[in-house]
Amino acid sequence: MPITPRFIGPGMARPLLVLAALFGDAEAQGLKTGNLLVANQQDASASLIDLRTDAMKLIPVGIGPHEAQISPSGRVGVVTIYGQQPAGNQLAVIDIATGTVTRTISLGQYTRPHGVVFMPGDETRVVVTSEATQNVVLVNIAEGTVLGAIGTGAQGSHMAAITADGKWVFTSNVGSGGVSEMDLVNRSLIRAIAVAPRVEGIAVTPDGKLVFAGSNTDGTVSVIDTRTGTVTDTIRGFTFPYRLATSADGTIAIVCDPQGGAIHIIDVATRKVTWKLDGLASPRGVSIAPDGRSAFVTLADGPSVGIVDLVTRKLMRTIPVGASPDGVGYGRSIDE
């Protein structure tokens, strides 16, 4: 992005120009702390990006990586290996400090792992969808063991969203056109909720009261009240609501619309789109920084990841990644 120099006085002009040239203007650059982990679907790799320098490292992980997450401490990353033919059944565990795969975990019978979320505040456990077997799988990544599985009661359980207390997880069910709710404490299915055709994108508010679910067929986002298990609102105006995320404070939800070339920002309180950012190169995956001021969006037609300032409502910069980037996870800098 071009940098506009700001002159405080004649004596400050040259120093400011030099600093801008070397480091860039902080406002124009966007967030410059933390790390990103991107799953490159067609590259058998993950991209690890240090946002302080925008340096990118390609890490071989296996065929068909789809989703990526970084642990709460920022030290550990996980990438799901969905595979092509045959079906994949692995997780790649990445040490963020060294940018290397430290362990590859087999999920055995639980094939086509896709959505993955860390248990809140836990470095060792993740919840993973097994799309082909209609399960969510609990995995100890420190030990490399499967702890158990919970049936979703639905077809094509694709993405997962977890509440801030780690008690509940919800899956989007592409084949069944709905959302499943699981109790992680008792490891049981609560219910499968019919929503709309081809539900893929999903997000839950941190308090677990609302779930947002996108229908690729209808181009809508349904809002589910989890107390009643019913759809209370339907938000329209999307082309292909592929991925969703909610902010840590529960005030906004972001919808990635790759066919529409835009991201849409929903006000959770009113259930309305308050603004959108157009002209994006097929936005797919999305992660929101903990402070709610920045979003990280994979751009498949880049291929790159874009840093969006949610305050100024601008795309601040893009960073090249591997082929067909999809899932993206943000983690704080390890030395913070």
Side-chain angles (χ1 to χ4, degrees):
M1 301 296 291
I3 303 298
T4 302
R6 300 179 178 182
F7 297 95
I8 296 176
M12 290 296 295
R14 185 172 299 277
L16 283 177
L17 284 170
V18 171
L19 286 171
L22 288 175
F23 302 108
D25 179 20
E27 182 177 342
Q29 293 272 333
L31 187 68
K32 295 290 287 185
T33 183
N35 297 288
L36 299 179
L37 188 63
V38 176
N40 303 314
Q41 276 191 15
Q42 296 177 11
D43 208 21
S45 71
S47 290
L48 178 62
I49 297 166
D50 184 340
L51 289 171
R52 292 172 293 190
T53 62
D54 287 358
M56 190 276 289
K57 179 178 183 180
L58 279 178
I59 307 169
V61 293
I63 296 173
H66 275 233
E67 295 297 323
Q69 289 293 333
I70 298 179
S71 66
S73 73
R75 296 179 182 277
V76 182
V78 174
V79 178
T80 56
I81 311 305
Y82 187 84
Q84 292 177 350
Q85 295 298 332
N89 70 339
Q90 295 179 321
L91 302 181
V93 181
I94 295 170
D95 178 79
I96 300 299
T98 62
T100 58
V101 175
T102 57
R103 184 192 296 271
T104 299
I105 301 170
S106 171
L107 303 180
Q109 64 181 305
Y110 301 111
T111 55
R112 297 293 191 202
H114 198 279
V116 58
V117 290
F118 273 88
M119 291 291 289
D122 192 336
E123 299 291 294
T124 63
R125 293 182 297 157
V126 296
V127 179
V128 185
T129 60
S130 169
E131 184 180 293
T133 68
Q134 303 178 26
N135 283 284
V136 292
V137 186
L138 286 72
V139 184
N140 185 313
I141 61 170
E143 298 177 356
T145 57
V146 172
L147 301 175
I150 307 169
T152 64
Q155 297 176 356
S157 298
H158 197 66
M159 298 294 292
I162 196 168
T163 55
D165 60 10
K167 293 181 178 180
W168 313 94
V169 66
F170 300 85
T171 62
S172 59
N173 306 318
V174 180
S176 299
V179 168
S180 293
E181 177 182 358
M182 273 74 62
D183 179 342
L184 288 173
V185 177
N186 297 304
R187 299 188 183 180
S188 60
L189 171 67
I190 302 302
R191 56 194 162 193
I193 305 165
V195 177
R198 292 192 64 79
V199 169
E200 184 169 353
I202 190 169
V204 62
T205 53
D207 61 12
K209 292 182 179 180
L210 298 175
V211 168
F212 293 81
S215 166
N216 291 343
T217 298
D218 291 351
T220 58
V221 171
S222 299
V223 184
I224 301 168
D225 183 333
T226 60
R227 291 168 294 186
T228 61
T230 58
V231 174
T232 59
D233 297 273
T234 301
I235 308 170
R236 304 182 186 277
F238 314 100
T239 305
F240 197 79
Y242 180 72
R243 291 289 180 269
L244 288 85
T246 51
S247 59
D249 64 3
T251 60
I252 65 167
I254 296 180
V255 181
C256 283
D257 189 347
Q259 292 185 4
I263 60 170
H264 306 253
I265 286 70
I266 297 171
D267 179 83
V268 169
T270 63
R271 279 71 142 174
K272 296 184 182 299
V273 174
T274 55
W275 62 278
K276 72 173 182 174
L277 183 60
D278 286 306
L280 301 178
S282 188
R284 289 187 180 179
V286 58
S287 183
I288 305 174
D291 65 4
R293 296 175 61 88
S294 301
F296 313 98
V297 182
T298 54
L299 304 172
D301 290 347
S304 61
V305 60
I307 288 78
V308 176
D309 189 318
L310 298 175
V311 178
T312 62
R313 303 182 179 183
K314 296 178 180 178
L315 175 66
M316 307 311 293
R317 69 190 194 276
T318 59
I319 305 164
V321 294
S324 190
D326 199 34
V328 55
Y330 171 82
R332 66 183 186 181
S333 294
I334 296 171
D335 54 5
E336 285 184 358

